[in-house]
Amino acid sequence: MAQVQRTIPLLLPADEDLRETLAVFQRVQQQLSAPCFNEGQPLSAVALHRACYHEVKGQLNAQMTCTAIRLVAAAYQSAQSNRRPPQRPFQFRRRQALFLIGSRGRDASLRPDGTLSIWTVAGRKQLPFRLPEAFQPRLAQAKRIDSLTVLERDGRLLGRLTITLEVPDPPTAGPETETVVGIDLNETNALVAVDGQERMLFVSGKAVKVRNRRTAKTRARLQRKLAAHKAQHRDTRSVRRVLKRLGRQQRHRTRTFAQTVAKRLVEWVPPQAVLVFERLQVPSPQQGQIRGRALRRRLARWQRGLIRRWVEQRAQERGLQVAEVNPAYTSQICSRCGQRGHRRRHAFTCPQCGSQEHADINAARNIRTRFTQLRLSGLPSTSPEARADKAAGKPPA
């Protein structure tokens, strides 16, 4: 059995002592930010601890002070690992705090009576909490409760409980007993899957695409209005507030859609299935590697990455394998005769054998066939885990 970490939400009461704890934790992070920046040469967690622990101790308990030091150092290390070295000290504007739990319940713990025992600046307190019904089975299956992140949003206190689950290992069955599922991800047709028995799963993303486009137009209009107000030196708080709300709604809509699609796919595939995706290398729209403003906007709103991430998480919990194949010509080759055909939007026509079908279904079949041919030829398949090991320099298993 393998172990994975997952996060589930908690709804917490509006306790003033807990709010003050978040404010103190934020203040400690702000005090640590400038020393950790170190004139563009960020300190490690150990170096920051040695340099600043005596200056910030006493505001929180010792364990949470060490946690704040590690989080600040990790923020700078993360920026460096993304090849974006910080140019000035970070500003920790969000009020949130990390409470370690573990086997000893150091900063917080879930009590058998259904309350949360948590450390605050006013001492240890027992607070009631509410867990959404959809996440109650997952908490009951938890092998270990690791930590609790408490944050303040719109005047409410929310918790993010990190737990460790035991999941089955991926099956080791051979090609003759596995079910290979080819999956094609697109903009309008968000996910099209075809398995070895020609069963099809077709998930349309048109409704989400239309709503996101409408939201983007509204945001663009408000951003022009915001620029005009700034030029006239007028207060723009209401416009900024609406822009933040619209952006948050769009992110939540896209994330919910990706989670729903991933759940449908994992529940649809049979046990011991191999989920095969295309190994697409899509440049980031934010890095300016794509010419054309319209194309950059389309790619920025494409939920392909989110769907892929949630499918991998769901598949890991079910013990399913995830693999990748070369995407070259999967949309242009006929899945029946293997010759080049003609694709016009969602219609695919093969002049060689006369086949006519949906272009995305044809692509999903080609993805499935390509993976099957790789297995039969004895060539190693590419999985996300294997790609990560290769990037880290680890030898293949």
Side-chain angles (χ1 to χ4, degrees):
M1 298 288 285
Q3 293 186 356
V4 297
Q5 281 191 333
R6 294 293 182 263
T7 302
I8 58 178
L10 290 183
L11 304 180
L12 303 176
D15 186 78
E16 293 303 323
D17 293 332
L18 187 55
R19 290 183 191 273
E20 181 62 23
T21 304
L22 302 188
V24 174
F25 196 92
Q26 179 192 25
R27 185 165 63 245
V28 170
Q29 287 184 305
Q30 291 281 23
Q31 294 175 7
L32 293 168
S33 182
C36 188
F37 176 67
N38 192 29
E39 303 298 333
Q41 301 294 328
L43 300 178
S44 65
V46 176
L48 182 62
H49 184 101
R50 292 173 178 172
C52 299
Y53 179 79
H54 64 283
E55 297 180 2
V56 297
K57 70 177 183 179
Q59 303 180 58
L60 300 166
N61 64 15
Q63 180 64 60
M64 293 192 65
T65 303
C66 296
T67 300
I69 292 174
R70 288 194 296 269
L71 289 179
V72 171
Y76 283 94
Q77 294 298 327
S78 176
Q80 282 194 321
S81 63
N82 292 333
R83 298 181 180 179
R84 293 181 298 177
Q87 304 297 323
R88 56 183 180 274
F90 292 161
Q91 298 293 321
F92 294 87
R93 295 189 176 93
R94 294 183 179 178
R95 285 196 175 184
Q96 60 183 28
L98 176 62
F99 300 82
L100 300 182
I101 298 179
S103 58
R104 296 181 294 170
R106 287 172 284 189
D107 300 326
S109 63
L110 300 184
R111 296 169 59 88
D113 59 357
T115 60
L116 171 68
S117 175
I118 189 169
W119 185 90
T120 68
V121 291
R124 196 90 173 190
K125 301 188 69 173
Q126 279 73 43
L127 302 176
F129 68 90
R130 187 165 64 87
L131 178 67
E133 185 177 355
F135 296 94
Q136 292 177 5
R138 180 165 290 189
L139 180 60
Q141 298 169 2
K143 180 178 179 60
R144 185 177 64 252
I145 301 178
D146 301 311
S147 63
L148 173 67
T149 300
V150 181
L151 53 95
E152 186 175 2
R153 178 181 296 170
D154 297 333
R156 299 180 301 167
L157 294 179
L158 304 177
R160 299 289 183 263
L161 193 66
T162 303
I163 60 177
T164 298
L165 299 174
E166 281 191 342
V167 298
D169 295 321
T172 58
E176 66 278 359
T177 57
E178 290 176 346
T179 301
V180 180
V181 181
I183 303 171
D184 187 42
L185 301 179
N186 304 276
E187 289 184 84
T188 304
N189 304 317
L191 183 143
V192 179
V194 180
D195 67 0
Q197 300 177 355
E198 290 300 321
R199 294 191 310 128
M200 300 177 187
L201 175 65
F202 201 100
V203 182
S204 174
K206 184 176 180 180
V208 176
K209 180 180 178 180
V210 170
R211 293 188 65 184
N212 285 345
R213 184 184 300 172
R214 187 180 303 142
T215 302
K217 289 183 178 180
T218 304
R219 294 182 66 190
R221 177 175 55 82
L222 291 176
Q223 286 168 350
R224 291 193 296 268
K225 184 176 181 180
L226 178 65
H229 283 191
K230 285 185 176 180
Q232 299 173 7
H233 303 286
R234 294 169 55 188
D235 183 61
T236 58
R237 285 184 298 175
S238 60
V239 180
R240 284 187 274 111
R241 189 163 53 244
V242 175
L243 281 171
K244 288 182 179 179
R245 186 179 71 246
L246 290 175
R248 185 166 59 247
Q249 289 176 352
Q250 180 173 337
R251 290 193 300 271
H252 290 177
R253 182 189 309 127
T254 304
R255 184 179 60 188
T256 302
F257 176 73
Q259 292 173 345
T260 304
V261 172
K263 182 178 180 180
R264 286 185 60 184
L265 174 65
V266 174
E267 291 179 348
W268 175 78
V269 299
Q272 295 188 347
V274 182
L275 310 181
V276 187
F277 292 88
E278 293 178 306
R279 188 170 59 252
L280 293 178
Q281 301 293 335
V282 181
S284 174
Q286 289 79 14
Q287 296 176 357
Q289 300 175 355
I290 304 174
R291 295 184 178 181
R293 182 182 300 177
L295 181 58
R296 287 198 297 269
R297 287 175 177 172
R298 285 176 55 191
L299 291 177
R301 291 195 293 265
W302 190 15
Q303 64 273 8
R304 169 188 166 273
L306 277 177
I307 293 177
R308 174 70 184 273
R309 189 184 316 159
W310 284 104
V311 167
E312 290 180 357
Q313 287 193 12
R314 292 277 184 174
Q316 190 179 35
E317 296 176 8
R318 295 288 186 96
L320 304 175
Q321 298 184 52
V322 178
E324 296 176 330
V325 296
N326 188 350
Y329 304 105
T330 54
S331 299
Q332 304 176 36
I333 296 177
C334 178
S335 59
R336 299 187 183 276
C337 66
Q339 301 298 318
R340 292 283 291 272
H342 302 294
R343 173 172 182 170
R344 184 174 179 84
R345 294 182 63 82
H346 301 306
F348 179 85
T349 305
C350 178
Q352 307 296 329
C353 64
S355 173
Q356 296 182 359
E357 59 184 344
H358 197 284
D360 297 332
I361 296 177
N362 177 73
R365 285 200 184 105
N366 285 329
I367 294 170
R368 181 197 63 195
T369 303
R370 185 164 297 180
F371 177 81
T372 304
Q373 292 174 350
L374 286 174
R375 279 293 180 89
L376 293 177
S377 63
L379 296 176
S381 60
T382 304
S383 65
E385 294 80 6
R387 192 173 69 249
D389 292 343
K390 182 178 180 181
K394 297 181 180 180

